[in-house]
Amino acid sequence: MPIAMIVHGGAWAIPDDQVEPHLAGCRAALASGWSILAAGGSALDACEAAVRLMEDDPIFDAGTGSHLTAAGAVELDAAIMDGRTLGYGAVANLRRVRNPISLARKLLTGAGTFLVGEGAEAYAVAQGLPLCENDTLIVERERALWEQWRATHAAGTEQVIGGQDTVGAIALDQAGNLVAANSTGGTPFKLPGRIGDTPLIGCGLYADAQVGGAVCTGWGESIVRLALARRIVDMLERGLPPQVAAETAMRILARRVAGGSGGCIVLTPDGRIGLAWNTRHMAYAYRSEAGEDASGI
Ligand code: ASP
């Protein structure tokens, strides 16, 4: 079977001085996933490796370097979906897990498949994943942004509408499995406890190895209302090419929900790729055995 992979690093107006690091981060994530796929490894391993790399890269709003909540802490969400079994693992409101995607991966075959907060962190410990202090996930850039925001806003009075540098990946392996994964710190200054589209199956991601996969990014509250990832996969099921499905989804997002904004990446079981966004930018990188190889903003 042909292998293929696409990753994204968020859909928003990426500041000029952050363009290069976003591109570099996406390319590095793609390269790490690709090397696994090319060696005959699984799409699960490829997605986990790619997303982990982006979680560890402080330029992205995932893992280390995530946006702070209105209360000044980092709270992380992530999910992974196995397109062969339709199994999924999802986690949310994590404060002490450095790589939420690896915890989500561990839940794929567990008794519970979506864990939040303290229960999720206890499960991480039981699975041998170390916990970290929340402070160690916070970088100076985000602390300064939060200080600025706090000086002019009473916590909870005004939320930021729009997505940021959430990360996501879809991979197709030699065995024909297709997997989707994503990870986020959520929207800047979100209310503590808020969960967006990212860890919600059918909203932030969906994968069916017989049909295709989609991962969304952007303003989570608009994406959830449309169950956008599943809607994209429905379009693939009806025979739409992935690029048409991606563009159609972005039109629906903008037209059907006031202020609906974001981007999406799409991959089919035969290795065709789609991607679209209605924000100023979306950072991405993709490669397929059919010869497609690109990255951009
Ligand atoms: N969708 C994410 C959320 O709303 C943010 C993003 O994609 O940047 O939590």
Side-chain angles (χ1 to χ4, degrees):
M1 298 287 280
I3 59 173
M5 184 156 190
I6 179 164
V7 305
H8 80 75
W12 60 299
I14 299 172
D16 287 349
D17 62 341
Q18 291 188 26
V19 164
E20 265 317 308
H22 275 80
L23 271 176
C26 286
R27 288 182 188 133
L30 177 70
S32 82
W34 188 265
S35 66
I36 291 170
L37 296 173
S42 73
L44 282 167
D45 285 345
C47 280
E48 184 184 357
V51 171
R52 267 187 83 100
L53 213 71
M54 291 194 279
E55 287 177 338
D56 290 341
D57 185 336
I59 196 68
F60 296 113
D61 176 30
T64 307
S66 288
H67 296 310
L68 306 195
T69 66
V74 161
E75 286 184 3
L76 303 173
D77 311 331
I80 188 163
M81 183 164 186
D82 180 340
R84 190 187 49 231
T85 61
L86 304 183
Y88 66 90
V91 289
N93 294 150
L94 303 180
R95 286 168 157 249
R96 295 185 299 159
V97 176
R98 190 166 296 286
N99 292 109
I101 193 62
S102 292
L103 183 55
R105 169 88 190 266
K106 288 203 179 291
L107 284 168
L108 258 179
T109 51
T113 49
F114 192 167
L115 298 184
V116 303
E118 284 179 12
E121 291 179 359
Y123 187 78
V125 173
Q127 292 293 311
L129 294 182
L131 297 185
C132 64
E133 290 302 318
N134 195 260
D135 271 0
T136 65
L137 300 169
I138 299 176
V139 298
E140 206 32 59
R141 178 195 68 229
E142 296 302 323
R143 175 76 74 197
L145 280 174
W146 180 76
E147 299 281 0
Q148 255 176 35
W149 176 83
R150 196 179 57 151
T152 51
H153 296 76
T157 54
E158 197 183 312
Q159 299 302 305
V160 174
I161 303 290
Q164 297 271 318
D165 342 73
T166 288
V167 306
I170 318 175
L172 178 65
D173 64 28
Q174 287 180 17
N177 195 18
L178 188 145
V179 170
N182 59 18
S183 184
T184 189
T187 47
F189 324 125
K190 65 186 180 184
L191 288 173
R194 175 261 186 196
I195 299 171
D197 60 307
T198 303
L200 302 181
I201 301 305
C203 298
L205 76 169
Y206 199 83
D208 181 337
Q210 297 178 10
V211 181
V215 170
C216 299
T217 179
W219 179 35
E221 280 73 5
S222 63
I223 293 167
V224 169
R225 286 178 217 184
L226 296 164
L228 199 59
R230 179 61 223 186
R231 194 177 276 231
I232 293 169
V233 173
D234 282 347
M235 290 189 235
L236 299 177
E237 203 153 24
R238 291 202 304 273
L240 262 67
Q243 186 57 29
V244 176
E247 289 171 9
T248 305
M250 289 304 106
R251 274 200 301 277
I252 295 170
L253 181 64
R255 283 186 194 152
R256 189 63 190 87
V257 182
S261 68
C264 64
I265 54 175
V266 187
L267 183 62
T268 60
D270 57 357
R272 286 173 298 141
I273 281 162
L275 67 167
W277 56 95
N278 70 357
T279 45
R280 183 163 322 152
H281 304 117
M282 182 172 79
Y284 64 86
Y286 63 80
R287 193 179 300 174
S288 78
E289 261 183 344
E292 289 180 298
D293 193 350
S295 58
I297 293 276

